[in-house]
Amino acid sequence: MVLKAFFPTCCASADSGLLVGRWVPEQSSAVVLAVVHFPFIPIQVKELLAQVQQASRVGVAVLGTWCHRRQESEESLGHFLEGLGAIFSHEPWLQLCRERGSKFWSCKATHRQVPASLGAPGQDQVMLIFYDQRKVLLSQLHPPAALPDHQAGDATASAGGLAAVFDTVARSEVLFRSDQFDEGPVRLSHWQSEGVEASILVELAKQASGPICLLLACLLSLISAASTSRVFKLWPLSFIWSKLSTCEQLRHRLGQLTLIFSTQKAENPAQLMRKANMLVSVFLDVALGLALLSWLHGKDRIGQLADALVPVADHVAEELQHLLQWLMGAPAGLKMNRALDQVLGRFFLYHIHLWISYIHLMSPFIERILWHLGLSACLGLTVALSILSDIIALLTFHIYCFYVYGARLYCMKICGLSSLWRLFRGKKWNVLRQRVDSCSYDLDQLFIGTLLFTILVFLLPTTALYYLVFTLLRLLVVTVQGLIHLLVDLVNSLPLYSLGLRLCRPYRLAAGVKFRVLEHEAGRPLRLLMQINPLPYSRVVHTYRLPSCGCHPKHSWGSLCRKLFFGELIYPWRQRGDKQD
């Protein structure tokens, strides 16, 4: 049988001693965590291992001996190390030795407790695998991606063996807290034996984070309680609170801040990574918002925007008037119903006149309104973009009204034509059973249905032309708002902290490992070097992507074309009964 021994590279030059680690019987592998050096008292070593096992819940034990022959006088040390197997009994007993002045190693795994019929104690072949203890400790092994069926079993087995190695090193962190400067009875060699890795700034931040998080959590709970009060549940306020993009974004950010500054400790690395991603996302959002705020208040750009807003609104209204006048004539040489054309054109022109009057009435207050709205950029770039989306919706409200009027008229005529078409075929729609049934009609019903069908058919081109024009204008506005929402979702959901880890410290996000052959000679143990394969950027984004606010509807191309053809309204917000396509 071939045994796998995972040996830390930091212990390759350590003095002789005992190998401390964990034996994984399912994988027939031994994970070496540290080397205990001389002099030591066996009872003290056992007490240390019992404390580590109680704190980490890992079956840490003495796996064997480590012999590093540096001088001629240490040749007799091997005989002494072989006798330690009687004190620290473990099956199998590993014996690793590095030859003096050579790169060759010798590895043996002996079984002392064997049946008497088998004779002398048996030996197994050992495959030595070196690993970077620090990188394995700090890394997080991710499950493999979806593989074909014929590869799924092998991938699961290999992933389980690697997970045992990574889990053993991660849970044995308490063993690495002692270094050579400690005055303890047992001297160890591991990745932190030269000194515990720490930072004064990080420790101070940890001490100060507790009271700060508690204070901010109380403040956020008060804000959340105020936002859920009965005042905001009244009809006008509840409708505005649920439809405006700004309110949805503020609610989304409030939930993220509540999770970030929660005093509850993260249960697993995934939750910790999610909190870190949210914190970096909020910091970047606020930084970009402050940059936008400084740009807006510099060189009186808010005054320039206010001065340009009214002329732009007048120009848009003037272009709409020209468009309606073109539709009231003979657009593209089409023969329209003149009476209906004049009624619809004058109706829409009157709405444009009301809109122009409203804009000019609000013009003295536009600069002050923009100045106060610009201050909201300190809450983040996403809040400023959400306010911009709501401003666009308010400034194009007349276009939305034109679209609703045209869509309702077009939908009524389409429904009427479909009902009259069923009448000609002797069918009717059964409302109770939600199906089409046969029905017999008399001569008067057929005559009136024919007249109505003829009237609706001849009026349909005029209504369809107005519906087509205003639908295209509405889709243009929806496209602009969709690009703004896409940018907001990108800032909200992009896992910036995980991407930063993947860029600066790729070993922190491990997708698997690869092995490089160090020595493969006859009569010598196979020596491999385990290297961490980083997670691809696409999987980093897919795994750690944050949820977005989701205040705008998401339609597939099929459902969008169906709604446009039948005249169904495309709302700028998500309806309660909408299904996700």
Side-chain angles (χ1 to χ4, degrees), residues 1-6 20-33 58-63 90-94 109 111 124-126 164 168:
M1 185 174 63
V2 178
L3 303 181
K4 298 182 290 293
F6 292 87
V20 175
R22 176 193 176 192
W23 171 254
V24 184
E26 296 83 3
Q27 306 296 331
S28 298
S29 59
V31 183
V32 179
L33 299 174
V58 177
V60 182
V62 177
L63 302 178
H90 185 272
E91 292 290 333
W93 183 258
L94 296 178
H111 294 270
D124 295 326
Q125 295 182 359
V126 180
T168 299

Side-chain angles (χ1 to χ4, degrees), residues 346-416:
R346 291 175 182 177
F347 178 74
F348 292 135
L349 284 175
Y350 178 69
H351 277 70
I352 292 177
H353 175 71
L354 291 178
W355 181 252
I356 294 175
S357 302
Y358 170 73
I359 291 295
H360 285 279
L361 183 64
M362 294 292 296
S363 58
F365 310 100
I366 289 179
E367 183 176 358
R368 184 172 299 177
I369 293 174
L370 290 179
W371 190 87
H372 287 89
L373 290 178
L375 294 178
S376 63
C378 63
L379 299 177
L381 179 64
T382 55
V383 177
L385 291 176
S386 300
I387 292 177
L388 177 61
S389 176
D390 293 334
I391 290 176
I392 292 175
L394 292 175
L395 291 178
T396 59
F397 184 71
H398 54 306
I399 297 178
Y400 178 71
C401 292
F402 295 165
Y403 162 72
V404 172
Y405 299 152
R408 290 303 187 190
L409 288 175
Y410 177 78
C411 184
M412 288 173 58
K413 291 189 177 181
I414 291 295
C415 293

